[in-house]
Amino acid sequence: MPHMLHKAGIAPRIDYQNELNPAQHEAVTALDGPVLVIAGAGSGKTRTLVYRLAYLVEQGVDPGSILLLTFTRKSAQEMLSRAAHLIHQPLGQVMGGTFHGVCYQWLRRYGERLGYPEGFTVMDRADQGDLLAMLKERLGFKNLDGPFPRKETLAEILGATVNKNISLEDLLYREYPQFVAHRSHLLEIGLAYYEEKKRHALLDYDDLLLEGRRLLTEQEEVRRQLSERFRYLMVDEYQDTNRLQAELVRLLAFTHDNVMAVGDDSQSIYSFRGANFRNIMDFPALFPGAKVIKLEENYRSTQPILDLANEIIAGAREKYTKCLFTRKGDGLRPRLFRPASENEQSRLVVAQVQDLHERGTPLNKMAVLFRAAFHSFDLEIELVRQNLPFMKFGGFKFMESAHIKDLLAHLRVVANPRDAMSWNRVLLLVPGVGKQTAKKFQGHLKEGFDLKKAVAALGKMRPQAGLKPLAELLASLKDPGQTLVSRLNLALSYYEPLLTQRYDDSPKRLRDLEHLLTITARYRELRSFLNDLTLEPPSSLADVTSPTHDYLTLSTIHSAKGLEWDAVFIIWAAEGRFPAFYSLEKEEELEEERRLMYVAATRARRYLAVLYPAVGYNKQLGMTYNSPSRFISDLPPKLLETFRVEVEEW
């Protein structure tokens, strides 16, 4: 039954018809019943939510009956502030916040019904890690053979089973194969963790959703009370909800079905966090009779960029069909570049950035986007060489990664046997070697010995079992007949087992290290390679809090969602890199890769360039030819202006 208190005879103060485009107006004024708003990239999603908040209140809806669910408390506060400004009325009675925050409020009020008569304590990530570390020690898991997850990774694994609705065993095989041998131990620690929380009335971040669902499921009186109180539900970024969050919305709306879910199926890219693409696709089935409204007018990009984005997503297996359009002028066609190598890709990006900057585009209005953090390593080196400031978002900067420093330390002591810091790093990696052994060895450095004497000294020291392989490696690395690539391969073969023992996310770090081979392929000499890497990036001095600071953005696509720039460069748009090789086996993962490319393309306002190197280096295959990403090669040629030139000819 519709539940709305109209102010008879009082016309709305806001001219909604004039302030909004037709689709936005339809969404804002759709009051009762379930509504799914498919908000295309740059289509004014937040504006639509803000105006709907204002419209509800102007139509006489009690602000206390509105619940706004967002993914950050800040975004909820900003929307409420903007809506309050529109209607010149405070909206403090509206409940707005995250799923976790709202569940916390309900559990505080009704927790006694779930067995928390004296309340409960919510653990932060540090508390959660400390409890898992204590249980790990109590169960005797500290000295197990093979890699075992550190406390932070344990928390991630246990959280993923909740958010992804997946068994621990399936999760390990799919995402943490390095820990499969310890699945029985992980099951044991998971059970002990659950029992310890229950015993001491402790909840972690994920428990807030679990217990919130349990409250609404088991306590019918509470469910009805909350559903009748919050008669207008609004959910932002619905494509990013997980299974639990979608269930909470369904349970809460059972007396009225007044739910407006706003999101974009084409921007569902966070499955690794537990986001479930099916939620937005199945909304009409979950809420029969739902009205689907599409926001397709784009206020960000030029039409040629939108034409490209539309065609990319048109190939999706399952989607809400939409076609982004704009009233802006035509603009430049997106450009496709096929430089000869990764370094030429980097130099080409730098040359274009410099050209655009000279023509008046600030650096902070430009971004380079990539599928994986290690794809920007070579570009980072080139930017430092050209003294262009940059900030990287998503993953580590190349030279800030511990595993990169570990591997390169072995090459540094070959290039400079007097490098005490690198010697110390190399020695402490060796199993059984502690600070005293490293200190004893450092004493030899004062005598000015050469690498041959250093290798001989290592062979005589104890523990000989650990130092002998290192001595053999260094002897091979100093062979003048070795190329830089072969040296790096030798060092990587030696370091890989040490990496596996040292880091619980070794598969990811190993991909970073293997990419180093691509970078070294353009260097002939060890010292010049190491010198390029040791230059201090100017971005390290950048004040990122200053809105006036001018720096180029480097970002993974996941970290770039929701942002926009005048000029965007998408690098490494090659098969096996984007989409990634590991996504090719599962159709749902390949579909998410397509959506990632769509998100990347729709970040650009005026200029979009897509690049992939013609050749690359692979550890197993050596030099290989790259083919363009299927998301690009399948496009009609007229959508892209194609260049196959080297930097010097550009």
Side-chain angles (χ1 to χ4, degrees):
M1 177 179 177
H3 182 87
M4 187 174 64
L5 302 174
H6 293 278
K7 293 180 180 177
I10 300 179
R13 287 191 293 269
I14 300 170
D15 185 354
Y16 292 94
Q17 195 91 41
N18 190 51
E19 294 281 331
L20 304 164
N21 69 41
Q24 290 173 338
H25 184 265
E26 184 184 4
V28 164
T29 57
L31 291 176
D32 295 298
V35 180
L36 177 62
V37 179
I38 301 298
S43 63
K45 169 182 70 69
T46 302
R47 182 180 179 84
T48 302
L49 282 167
V50 167
Y51 272 78
R52 186 173 193 258
L53 281 167
Y55 187 79
L56 285 172
V57 176
E58 286 205 333
Q59 288 294 302
V61 171
D62 177 6
S65 68
I66 302 171
L67 174 60
L68 172 63
L69 291 166
T70 60
F71 274 81
T72 66
R73 188 170 60 176
K74 181 182 177 184
S75 62
Q77 291 171 339
E78 287 179 353
M79 286 185 208
L80 290 170
S81 175
R82 286 174 58 182
H85 180 74
L86 281 175
I87 60 176
H88 306 290
Q89 176 182 335
L91 293 176
Q93 290 176 282
V94 175
M95 190 171 191
T98 65
F99 281 89
H100 295 85
V102 168
C103 285
Y104 172 80
Q105 296 295 333
W106 295 341
L107 292 170
R108 278 293 179 207
R109 182 173 178 182
Y110 301 106
E112 189 173 350
R113 298 178 184 231
L114 296 182
Y116 301 107
E118 298 175 5
F120 55 86
T121 300
V122 179
M123 298 183 290
D124 60 20
R125 285 293 187 188
D127 295 333
Q128 189 181 8
D130 291 343
L131 176 57
L132 287 165
M134 182 190 76
L135 293 172
K136 183 176 171 181
E137 186 167 1
R138 180 191 297 175
L139 294 169
F141 294 165
K142 290 198 76 173
N143 298 311
L144 292 171
D145 292 332
F148 193 84
R150 54 190 170 87
K151 61 184 182 181
E152 294 85 359
T153 307
L154 274 172
E156 287 175 13
I157 290 172
L158 295 176
T161 62
V162 173
N163 290 305
K164 299 186 179 184
N165 189 29
I166 188 175
S167 72
L168 178 63
E169 191 160 19
D170 284 348
L171 179 74
L172 293 178
Y173 276 107
R174 189 182 300 180
E175 298 180 30
Y176 298 91
Q178 67 270 36
F179 303 135
V180 166
H182 288 304
R183 58 188 180 276
S184 62
H185 297 120
L186 292 172
L187 283 167
E188 190 176 348
I189 203 169
L191 180 60
Y193 178 61
Y194 171 78
E195 291 173 345
E196 194 74 12
K197 288 188 296 181
K198 191 175 180 181
R199 185 180 302 117
H200 297 288
L202 299 171
L203 298 181
D204 62 30
Y205 195 60
D206 301 308
D207 290 329
L208 293 172
L209 297 185
L210 286 169
E211 292 296 87
R213 180 186 62 176
R214 186 161 78 92
L215 177 69
L216 296 180
T217 304
E218 296 179 2
Q219 304 294 318
E220 185 175 350
E221 180 189 344
V222 174
R223 180 170 78 250
R224 182 171 296 278
Q225 184 179 336
L226 290 172
S227 182
E228 289 179 347
R229 177 188 169 188
F230 298 110
R231 298 197 63 84
Y232 289 92
L233 308 182
M234 298 168 68
V235 189
D236 188 22
E237 303 285 13
Y238 192 75
Q239 79 281 349
D240 293 335
T241 54
N242 63 25
R243 176 187 58 89
L244 270 173
Q245 290 161 332
E247 287 181 24
L248 285 166
V249 172
R250 177 63 275 184
L251 287 165
L252 197 58
F254 88 107
T255 65
H256 51 71
D257 280 359
N258 292 337
V259 177
M260 176 175 280
V262 182
D264 185 4
D265 55 299
S266 300
Q267 297 187 71
S268 179
I269 59 172
Y270 293 117
S271 65
F272 68 95
R273 293 181 189 165
N276 191 340
F277 175 71
R278 295 255 41 97
N279 287 350
I280 196 165
M281 300 309 299
D282 295 343
F283 185 90
L286 199 61
F287 292 92
K291 178 186 289 187
V292 179
I293 301 171
K294 300 174 184 176
L295 306 185
E296 298 173 288
E297 183 170 355
N298 178 282
Y299 295 92
R300 175 186 300 155
S301 309
T302 58
Q303 194 60 50
I305 291 173
L306 296 180
D307 290 342
L308 181 81
N310 287 332
E311 196 65 36
I312 288 170
I313 209 64
R317 175 175 54 89
E318 190 175 7
K319 60 187 177 296
Y320 288 100
T321 303
K322 59 182 176 295
C323 185
L324 298 179
F325 68 92
T326 182
R327 301 180 194 186
K328 293 182 179 181
D330 284 342
L332 291 171
R333 273 193 301 165
R335 295 178 169 184
L336 176 64
F337 293 93
R338 184 176 177 261
S341 64
E342 181 178 23
N343 182 239
E344 297 226 350
Q345 173 182 255
S346 300
R347 291 163 62 201
L348 180 53
V349 168
V350 168
Q352 291 190 65
V353 166
Q354 289 172 328
D355 182 63
L356 287 167
H357 192 228
E358 288 170 4
R359 292 170 185 261
T361 304
L363 287 178
N364 59 21
K365 299 291 185 183
M366 294 185 267
V368 183
L369 306 182
F370 31 86
R371 172 65 186 86
F374 65 83
H375 289 170
S376 71
F377 286 174
D378 187 83
L379 176 60
E380 291 173 48
I381 297 170
E382 197 61 39
L383 288 168
V384 171
R385 285 164 60 107
Q386 298 295 328
N387 201 31
L388 274 173
F390 68 92
M391 290 298 299
K392 183 174 180 180
F393 301 90
F396 291 105
K397 284 198 188 78
F398 177 53
M399 285 307 297
E400 289 177 2
S401 306
H403 51 295
I404 300 287
K405 290 182 175 180
D406 286 347
L407 184 69
L408 292 178
H410 296 84
L411 300 178
R412 291 189 191 283
V413 297
V414 173
N416 177 17
R418 296 173 183 266
D419 185 343
M421 290 181 64
S422 293
W423 273 116
N424 199 55
R425 193 174 194 104
V426 162
L427 291 166
L428 291 178
L429 286 170
V430 177
V433 172
K435 292 182 179 178
Q436 288 303 315
T437 304
K439 187 176 180 181
K440 180 182 176 183
F441 180 81
Q442 295 282 14
H444 292 290
L445 293 177
K446 298 175 183 176
E447 300 172 15
F449 63 89
D450 59 21
L451 187 63
K452 185 176 181 180
K453 290 179 181 177
V455 170
L458 283 173
K460 295 175 184 176
M461 290 181 70
R462 294 185 180 184
Q464 194 172 0
L467 288 167
K468 188 176 180 182
L470 174 59
E472 291 171 351
L473 168 70
L474 296 177
S476 299
L477 291 179
K478 73 182 181 68
D479 182 349
Q482 296 281 2
T483 64
L484 179 55
V485 171
S486 65
R487 281 180 169 134
L488 196 67
N489 262 316
L490 286 169
L492 186 54
S493 298
Y494 166 83
Y495 177 61
E496 188 173 341
L498 301 177
L499 173 81
T500 303
Q501 293 170 14
R502 193 174 181 86
Y503 301 107
D504 64 359
D505 58 348
S506 56
K508 176 180 175 294
R509 292 176 186 261
L510 188 58
R511 285 197 296 273
D512 289 356
L513 294 172
E514 289 180 347
H515 189 76
L516 260 181
L517 295 166
T518 306
I519 297 173
T520 56
R522 67 181 167 97
Y523 288 91
R524 297 188 180 185
E525 201 263 321
L526 176 59
R527 282 190 173 84
S528 61
F529 169 64
L530 293 173
N531 285 341
D532 274 2
L533 300 188
T534 53
L535 292 172
E536 183 69 20
S539 59
S540 64
L541 303 175
D543 177 10
V544 296
T545 62
S546 170
T548 59
H549 193 86
D550 201 18
Y551 59 82
L552 177 70
T553 294
L554 308 188
S555 178
T556 61
I557 299 164
H558 286 105
S559 297
K561 185 175 173 289
L563 303 175
E564 58 187 64
W565 294 271
D566 285 350
V568 168
F569 303 86
I570 304 172
I571 60 172
W572 270 113
E575 280 292 293
R577 299 298 185 107
F578 194 178
F581 273 127
Y582 57 79
S583 70
L584 303 181
E585 298 175 4
K586 294 183 179 178
E587 188 174 15
E588 64 268 23
E589 291 185 9
L590 188 58
E591 286 292 291
E592 184 159 319
E593 295 281 306
R594 178 182 294 280
R595 297 194 292 271
L596 268 172
M597 183 67 82
Y598 172 84
V599 167
T602 53
R603 300 310 94 197
R605 294 191 193 106
R606 296 189 293 106
Y607 182 85
L608 176 64
V610 182
L611 304 94
Y612 73 97
V615 297
Y617 188 87
N618 180 284
K619 187 174 186 289
Q620 284 74 35
L621 304 174
M623 297 303 292
T624 58
Y625 285 99
N626 294 317
S627 57
S629 166
R630 66 187 64 194
F631 309 135
I632 299 301
S633 62
D634 291 346
L635 297 174
K638 65 179 181 181
L639 295 180
L640 283 157
E641 189 175 0
T642 304
F643 295 82
R644 298 196 179 199
V645 295
E646 297 185 2
V647 176
E648 290 79 7
E649 299 171 2
W650 180 73

